[in-house]
Amino acid sequence: MRGGTLNAGIIHEHAFNTAWWGEPIGIIDDAAFFSWTPEERHKALQQYAWVEFKSATVGVYQSMKLFDAGFFQADTRIDFRIALTKIPTTPSLDAFEVHSAGERPFSIEAGEFRTFEHERFYEIPGSTKPRIDERYATWARQIIAAHPDWCLRVFHNGNLQGWFISQPGTSGLNLVLAMLHRDANISGMHLYQKACVDYARRGARIGWANFSVYHTNVHNIYAQMGARFLTPITWWLWTRR
């Protein structure tokens, strides 16, 4: 029976999701997990309320192995890269102002931004919109605290319209979260374009992230700004109940 440190690199606790959910949550980092015996998989999974696994989009045979292990496909996400320095500015952006948390400190609370409608976490028993909003607010606050110079608020005519939360990485600037304010009267396109143009002004050259295939508006926005889309990644979930 596999256990203890032998499992550490294959299935382990996801610290952030555990703190958010209030129960141990797992993540699988190696597909070797699915070659374990059913008894071994069951024992490992039962330590968690739910478990995630992600992989490049798999075929029917591989999918059946995951189904047999009790997993279901919860989402497909698309990675992309975008040249921030090549995003054109337009006269309509002149009416916008951008300030980073490094310049004018700020925080974000659940309920201030529009709810994310297409998230894999809705597939988890007991999940609610307020609970998911709190996850993203907490995530945003952590990134703001760690990288305030790359976390932006976007204003139009003096009114707060939304936030763009990013962090530097080895592959460029990770464009983590874009959120419209609940009372925003601008388009998502304006929020994304203004923030990304501002990131280029601040010295970032390449941006990268991923989004759910169900976020059609996000896909269209990045396509209009010249993003290059990469391999889709499938997210799988197992839940204890």
Side-chain angles (χ1 to χ4, degrees), residues 69-215:
F71 284 73
F72 61 91
Q73 184 174 336
D75 197 7
T76 299
R77 302 186 68 83
I78 301 176
D79 283 330
F80 70 91
R81 299 290 184 272
I82 188 166
L84 298 171
T85 55
K86 295 183 179 180
I87 298 174
T89 187
T90 59
S92 62
L93 297 183
D94 293 342
F96 291 80
E97 292 181 42
V98 177
H99 304 288
S100 75
E103 297 159 346
R104 299 183 183 180
F106 66 86
S107 185
I108 300 176
E109 300 299 327
E112 289 188 275
F113 52 87
R114 293 184 186 174
T115 297
F116 293 91
E117 295 295 335
H118 304 291
E119 292 299 326
R120 64 188 182 277
F121 303 110
Y122 287 118
E123 303 295 335
I124 302 165
S127 184
T128 62
K129 286 186 177 181
R131 199 170 190 179
I132 292 173
D133 285 352
E134 186 55 46
R135 181 185 191 276
Y136 284 103
T138 300
W139 191 17
R141 289 193 295 268
Q142 288 185 0
I143 298 173
I144 292 167
H147 306 284
D149 292 339
W150 298 106
C151 297
L152 310 178
R153 285 191 297 177
V154 177
F155 295 82
H156 184 255
N157 293 328
N159 297 314
L160 177 60
Q161 300 295 318
W163 304 262
F164 215 113
I165 308 301
S166 299
Q167 59 188 359
T170 56
S171 300
L173 188 64
N174 183 195
L175 308 171
V176 181
L177 287 170
M179 299 179 287
L180 281 169
H181 191 276
R182 64 182 179 226
D183 298 323
N185 55 20
I186 65 168
S187 69
M189 179 67 189
H190 279 126
L191 175 70
Y192 282 65
Q193 187 179 14
K194 182 64 178 182
C196 287
V197 167
D198 195 76
Y199 283 139
R201 181 184 67 81
R202 294 170 186 270
R205 298 181 60 81
I206 300 296
W208 63 275
N210 61 67
F211 58 88
S212 171
V213 296
Y214 299 105
H215 283 297

Side-chain angles (χ1 to χ4, degrees), residues 5 31 34 215:
T5 58
F34 298 99
H215 283 297

Side-chain angles (χ1 to χ4, degrees), residues 18-99:
T18 293
W20 164 55
W21 196 255
E23 296 181 71
I25 306 303
I27 188 164
I28 294 170
D29 289 332
D30 190 329
F33 174 84
F34 298 99
S35 67
W36 294 4
T37 67
E39 293 77 17
E40 289 174 325
R41 292 197 304 263
H42 178 78
K43 182 177 181 179
L45 291 170
Q46 289 302 314
Q47 301 174 65
Y48 307 106
W50 46 272
V51 175
E52 289 190 301
F53 171 67
K54 65 178 179 178
S55 67
T57 303
V58 298
V60 174
Y61 175 73
Q62 291 86 353
S63 296
M64 291 302 298
K65 290 180 65 176
L66 272 73
F67 293 144
D68 288 344
F71 284 73
F72 61 91
Q73 184 174 336
D75 197 7
T76 299
R77 302 186 68 83
I78 301 176
D79 283 330
F80 70 91
R81 299 290 184 272
I82 188 166
L84 298 171
T85 55
K86 295 183 179 180
I87 298 174
T89 187
T90 59
S92 62
L93 297 183
D94 293 342
F96 291 80
E97 292 181 42
V98 177
H99 304 288

